[in-house]
Amino acid sequence: MSAQPRFAFFSKDRILHLHDEEHAKQHGKYVQMSLTDDESGYLVIEGQGVIYYTDEDKAYVKGNKSDGKLIATPTVLKQLAAELL
């Protein structure tokens, strides 16, 4: 969404998020990304916001695990999670 650099990190619930560096560093380890995010800080892949639960290795679009659609986890999310572990 932003022209500013985006940084990926895990929330306390181990959900992958993107934000600016100031916000990301409040959550511990973070890495700079070239992916985009939606207004909630979730990664956008193929035009859809994706909520990725790292500990479960499950990704959802159009919602979260309680109301979203489960999709195959995109490789880029697995790679990103590995960098943050």
Side-chain angles (χ1 to χ4, degrees):
M1 288 214 79
S2 173
Q4 296 180 355
R6 305 307 278 168
F7 296 83
F9 63 92
F10 292 132
S11 68
K12 65 179 175 154
D13 299 326
R14 308 271 298 157
I15 297 171
L16 200 57
H17 289 275
L18 285 181
H19 277 284
D20 59 53
E21 186 173 20
E22 189 65 33
H23 186 95
K25 70 176 153 182
Q26 296 174 21
H27 295 273
K29 189 172 182 180
Y30 61 96
V31 295
Q32 188 167 355
M33 289 293 312
S34 60
L35 294 173
T36 58
D37 58 315
D38 64 16
E39 62 280 350
S40 300
Y42 296 111
L43 290 90
V44 174
I45 298 176
E46 296 181 10
Q48 296 191 68
V50 178
I51 298 177
Y52 179 52
Y53 295 84
T54 306
D55 290 346
E56 300 172 22
D57 188 29
K58 292 187 178 177
Y60 298 85
V61 295
K62 300 180 183 168
N64 58 31
K65 64 181 173 182
S66 66
D67 63 357
K69 178 184 174 197
L70 180 64
I71 61 168
T73 302
T75 302
V76 68
L77 294 183
K78 290 183 181 196
Q79 292 169 340
L80 181 55
E83 282 185 59
L84 289 166
L85 293 175

